[in-house]
Amino acid sequence: MSQASATPPTLQESQTSALLTLLNLNNPVEPLSNSAQPAGKSVASLKVPAPSGPPVWKVLVLDQYTKDVLATVLRVQDLRDVGVTLHVQLHSNRPPLPDVPAVYFVSPTLANIRRIAQDLEKNLYESFHLNFVEPLPRALLEELAAAVARDGTGDIVEQVLDQYLSFIAPSPSLFSLVPPPGAASTSAPNAAAGPSAPSIPHSTYAVLNSPTSTEQQIEEEIERVANGLFSVVVTMGHVPVIRAPRGNAAEMIAKKLEQKIRDAILSSARSHTPSLFAQDAAGLSNLQRPLLLILDRNIDLVPMLSHGWTYQALASDCLDMKLNRVVVSQPQKRSYDLDSKDFFWARNAANPFPQVAEEINTELNRYKQDAAEITRSTGVSDVNDIAQMDLSANAAHLKTAITALPELTARKAVLDTHMNIATALLEEIKRRGLDELFSTEEAVAKQSAQAILEFLRNPKPDVHPTAVDKLRLVLVWYLSVPDGAYTKEDVAELEKALRAAGADVAAFEYVRRTREISKMTAPSALGGTATPVAGTSTPGGELFKGFSALSNKLTDRLKDGGLENLISGVKNFLPANKLFPVTRLTEALMDPSAASNQSLQETDDYLFLDPRAPRNPNAGLGISGVGAPGGAGSGGSGRGRRMAFSEGIVFVVGGAGYVEYGNLEEWAKKTGKRVTYGGTEIVDPSGFVRVLESLGKASA
């Protein structure tokens, strides 16, 4: 146990493990035992235990939402490994397979319950293992029970289980919640849309901020988000200490979530059933609790709109990236899966783009060397000709070649994928002048309204930023400068320039109104008040010396099959080293000794909820060794609440973005903290602009 707990599993690993257990008819799937573990390998690599007989072959029945949850972390081959031979949609016509057990993994909705009851009545499968992605409400459970009793099908229902898995984890420390049933699905935009305009994906930010939302819609949304977060907390296995700013949706969600965790702890204690929180069962509940920080998106809109410069931020901005799939539409449409098994993505997603291009080059050269080594030792001229090798040749060399081939082929496929993605990104950077946009935004607080106007009216030759790019630049500037830095005339001029560029200014109107109402210049809401670290920021122009050389050489270089010299003149810069507001607030709560006084004053006033603490406000925190004043959610002095956390979950109500994720990840890496970042949705910048536009029109 001690070895395994040295590095606790990430959220993505915990979810994968829970899904494999579910597919294995809810028999635990063990991690490789430590004895059989080769040294240096991660203990968290999950393997299905070898069953004594052949595996139990089964059918998996999904709906649109659970398909997204599953597809993000498991491939078809992983399903085969646990004996799933067929996976089908719940609401499709399915042939009966009366001698095969079926695992259902679906959302708890009335339509799904009725369809399951029909399947039971028809005896479609040998036995039914029903798993719901989040808790099945009492009323629906009774509906199912009534149908089963009416049709006498109780003997083929093997299990009915709540799974607490209603979130999507595209990378080890990133997650979003599953959209509500009825929202446009993330993975199938054309599923049932018909000829009408593409439906806008569900947006919590829009629901919570729109003047047209009813009280009931807001209540339902807050309940849905609290349920999704509860799934995340249960999958993590620890009861967190919850912090949230007061007076917004984050506070309401925090209180609801605390109540849910309290109820779960209480009901398992009363009924003597195993606790939902795995670590409590292990008796580790008080040793090291994680922090759960719930923030409202309005704290900082800048990272949702700014132009990123890391590989993942550019992919999310320039390409169609949903879950783990990236679609490149030029020269022909192709989609690529980037998941945790992709070694290059895992290593480079958070790196600045020029560095990634160099890495591709390095890896390609390594591949060529390894391939050349094999061909040299076996005496064939090309790796692909190994099948035609002279079999009388040295058997040892042959064995080496055959062992090395699958790994080499897989590596080549990964590098080809990234070569194609990087090429597509370079084309976009060149066409839209993303390097210029990025460097302008890096130093945006120093720009005057005139400089921004000049940029909008006279872009460099051969550079064509889109209307949305220009709008985003103006929004980032507007949200980052102090009140006195512009006049009404400046704003009118900017609006005129945006209209001339063909941008929809509804988003600008909405942001202006919001800033006027809440005076978003409060330090926490200012993108510009990110704290720079002395001596590391670089003036904008310097960052990009030679970037045009990179673009010019693009086409001829790629024909040679390598990215050599592609980056020849590029200064390998890192974005200016500053903490975004969300990172700054996370630091104040997880590492108070390193945080600025301003951040600490802000966070001292945050709500403090400890689901383990007794309700009595004077009863301390219920954390061993910490006797800070104030109990669950009580007032108490904020200063006494400061404590360090080594693990944290940061959740943004209203959407998460890759630029902010990169900033938080970089801080976590530097400080050695484990931080998982998530939001109600993962939104790309253009998607967030569309949300702001819709709000601008709704409140006009």
Side-chain angles (χ1 to χ4, degrees):
M1 179 68 216
S2 58
Q3 284 181 353
S5 63
T7 52
T10 62
L11 180 62
Q12 193 185 43
E13 285 166 350
S14 301
Q15 188 185 38
T16 310
S17 167
L19 285 167
L20 289 173
T21 301
L22 173 161
L23 296 173
N24 205 32
L25 306 182
N26 291 297
N27 299 316
V29 173
E30 297 151 14
L32 287 177
S33 66
N34 286 345
S35 55
Q37 188 82 23
K41 274 280 173 78
S42 139
V43 179
S45 54
L46 295 157
K47 278 278 176 285
V48 184
S52 42
V56 178
W57 299 114
K58 54 191 97 68
V59 175
L60 172 62
V61 183
L62 301 164
D63 64 17
Q64 194 52 59
Y65 299 94
T66 52
K67 176 172 156 260
D68 285 353
V69 172
L70 207 73
T72 313
V73 289
L74 295 175
R75 293 176 171 182
V76 174
Q77 186 52 51
D78 300 321
L79 298 182
R80 294 272 181 282
D81 292 345
V82 279
V84 173
T85 51
L86 185 65
H87 55 283
V88 287
Q89 281 285 343
L90 175 64
H91 295 281
S92 61
N93 291 325
R94 290 169 274 126
L97 294 165
D99 53 350
V100 179
V103 174
Y104 280 68
F105 179 42
V106 294
S107 311
T109 63
L110 184 58
N112 286 355
I113 291 290
R114 288 187 173 153
R115 185 57 193 256
I116 291 169
Q118 285 173 20
D119 291 354
L120 283 162
E121 189 195 0
K122 292 179 191 158
N123 272 331
L124 276 191
Y125 306 109
E126 176 190 56
S127 60
F128 287 68
H129 299 256
L130 307 179
N131 298 278
F132 294 96
V133 69
E134 56 188 17
L136 182 64
R138 181 84 199 183
L140 292 181
L141 182 60
E142 286 170 2
E143 170 107 10
L144 178 65
V148 165
R150 185 185 65 233
D151 303 328
T153 49
D155 51 343
I156 54 174
V157 178
E158 288 282 332
Q159 297 170 317
V160 180
L161 285 168
D162 293 336
Q163 287 290 352
Y164 303 101
L165 289 169
S166 58
F167 60 93
I168 289 168
S171 55
S173 55
L174 178 70
F175 71 94
S176 66
L177 305 185
V178 173
S185 163
T186 43
S187 65
N190 51 0
S196 62
S199 46
I200 288 186
H202 177 85
S203 161
T204 301
Y205 187 81
V207 174
L208 297 177
N209 290 285
S210 171
T212 57
S213 294
T214 63
E215 197 63 34
Q216 186 191 352
Q217 281 173 311
I218 291 175
E219 269 298 309
E220 282 169 2
E221 188 63 12
I222 282 175
E223 178 64 28
R224 182 185 79 82
V225 174
N227 279 333
L229 261 181
F230 185 63
S231 279
V232 171
V233 170
V234 170
T235 304
M236 284 284 224
H238 286 283
V239 178
V241 170
I242 305 170
R243 302 295 304 260
R246 297 171 190 275
N248 53 26
E251 174 179 9
M252 294 153 82
I253 288 164
K255 287 180 167 167
K256 253 195 170 34
L257 177 64
E258 189 221 11
Q259 193 52 54
K260 285 177 190 296
I261 298 174
R262 253 176 209 286
D263 293 348
I265 293 172
L266 204 60
S267 72
S268 78
R270 281 187 184 150
S271 57
H272 302 295
T273 48
S275 167
L276 281 176
F277 300 98
Q279 307 304 331
D280 300 0
L284 298 172
S285 53
N286 281 343
L287 291 176
Q288 180 55 61
R289 308 263 302 275
L291 165 78
L292 169 56
L293 172 58
I294 304 176
L295 294 168
D296 194 279
R297 185 65 274 166
N298 280 329
I299 273 185
D300 184 24
L301 296 181
V302 172
M304 299 303 286
L305 299 162
S306 52
H307 291 83
W309 193 237
T310 61
Y311 195 21
Q312 58 193 3
L314 280 166
S316 150
D317 190 349
C318 304
L319 307 173
D320 181 11
M321 184 168 165
K322 290 279 183 315
L323 306 177
N324 274 342
R325 178 156 292 177
V326 170
V327 178
V328 174
S329 35
Q330 297 297 341
Q332 75 266 31
K333 195 167 182 178
R334 296 197 53 185
S335 63
Y336 302 99
D337 286 328
L338 303 176
D339 55 24
S340 52
K341 298 182 180 71
D342 179 329
F343 74 93
F344 192 87
W345 180 249
R347 221 179 311 152
N348 289 291
N351 289 339
F353 186 69
Q355 198 175 317
V356 173
E358 277 182 2
E359 272 295 303
I360 293 179
N361 198 22
T362 313
E363 286 294 336
L364 272 172
N365 287 338
R366 247 188 63 211
Y367 165 79
K368 283 177 188 162
Q369 279 171 3
D370 293 353
E373 179 54 36
I374 284 190
T375 52
R376 193 184 56 71
S377 65
T378 49
V380 287
S381 55
D382 182 0
V383 173
N384 300 325
D385 299 341
I386 283 199
Q388 280 82 51
M389 216 173 99
D390 173 14
L391 292 181
S392 59
N394 185 333
H397 287 318
L398 180 60
K399 185 167 178 247
T400 316
I402 288 170
T403 322
L405 259 184
E407 189 271 336
L408 267 184
T409 318
R411 211 162 88 202
K412 180 76 165 71
V414 167
L415 293 176
D416 286 347
T417 292
H418 289 284
M419 184 76 142
N420 293 338
I421 293 173
T423 308
L425 289 179
L426 264 173
E427 290 289 358
E428 280 292 286
I429 290 168
K430 198 170 139 187
R431 187 172 64 78
R432 289 164 51 189
L434 296 179
D435 47 344
E436 285 291 318
L437 283 162
F438 172 76
S439 60
T440 307
E441 287 171 11
E442 276 285 274
V444 79
K446 301 187 185 78
Q447 307 279 357
S448 66
Q450 288 319 109
I452 299 291
L453 270 170
E454 182 57 30
F455 192 96
L456 295 184
R457 288 174 181 155
N458 305 314
K460 292 200 168 159
D462 301 333
V463 168
H464 308 287
T466 62
V468 173
D469 284 330
K470 292 179 176 181
L471 175 62
R472 283 164 55 191
L473 173 66
V474 169
L475 290 175
V476 167
W477 173 81
Y478 180 77
L479 288 166
S480 303
V481 292
D483 262 353
Y486 57 87
T487 62
K488 279 200 170 140
E489 290 73 35
D490 289 336
V491 170
E493 281 293 307
L494 285 167
E495 197 161 297
K496 197 168 134 198
L498 286 173
R499 282 184 205 276
D504 185 334
V505 294
F508 190 22
E509 284 161 10
Y510 172 76
V511 169
R512 285 213 309 278
R513 247 195 324 274
T514 314
R515 176 165 176 167
E516 274 150 28
I517 295 165
S518 63
K519 278 293 169 226
M520 284 175 105
T521 44
S524 71
L526 265 189
T529 57
T531 42
V533 179
T536 51
S537 58
T538 347
E542 283 300 299
L543 303 181
F544 290 98
K545 278 225 168 114
F547 192 81
S548 48
L550 170 80
S551 320
N552 301 342
K553 293 186 177 153
L554 164 74
T555 30
D556 18 357
R557 286 298 152 202
L558 286 174
K559 283 176 193 150
D560 306 348
L563 283 162
E564 296 96 349
N565 308 330
L566 190 65
I567 315 300
S568 57
V570 177
K571 198 161 187 183
N572 197 356
F573 76 94
L574 278 166
N577 194 352
K578 60 183 181 183
L579 301 184
F580 290 173
V582 166
T583 311
R584 199 165 50 72
L585 296 169
T586 306
E587 178 182 59
L589 289 166
M590 288 186 71
D591 193 4
S593 57
S596 69
N597 277 340
Q598 176 209 344
S599 307
L600 289 170
Q601 281 163 1
E602 239 169 279
T603 52
D604 279 348
D605 188 42
Y606 277 19
L607 202 63
F608 184 108
L609 300 171
D610 179 3
R612 286 202 167 283
R615 279 279 185 208
N616 171 2
N618 303 319
L621 284 179
I623 297 179
S624 52
V626 182
S634 64
S637 80
R639 203 170 260 282
R641 294 265 166 82
R642 293 180 190 170
M643 43 196 194
F645 290 91
S646 60
E647 189 170 343
I649 305 166
V650 179
F651 182 79
V652 188
V653 180
Y658 278 102
V659 172
E660 193 166 69
Y661 172 49
N663 190 262
L664 192 61
E665 238 190 340
E666 203 181 327
W667 171 80
K669 202 182 283 177
K670 241 186 236 132
T671 53
K673 305 279 184 191
R674 276 171 56 99
V675 179
T676 304
Y677 169 74
T680 40
E681 308 83 20
I682 295 169
V683 195
D684 62 83
S686 310
F688 197 69
V689 168
R690 281 196 296 276
V691 170
L692 295 178
E693 268 165 22
S694 67
L695 286 169
K697 286 170 183 156
S699 47

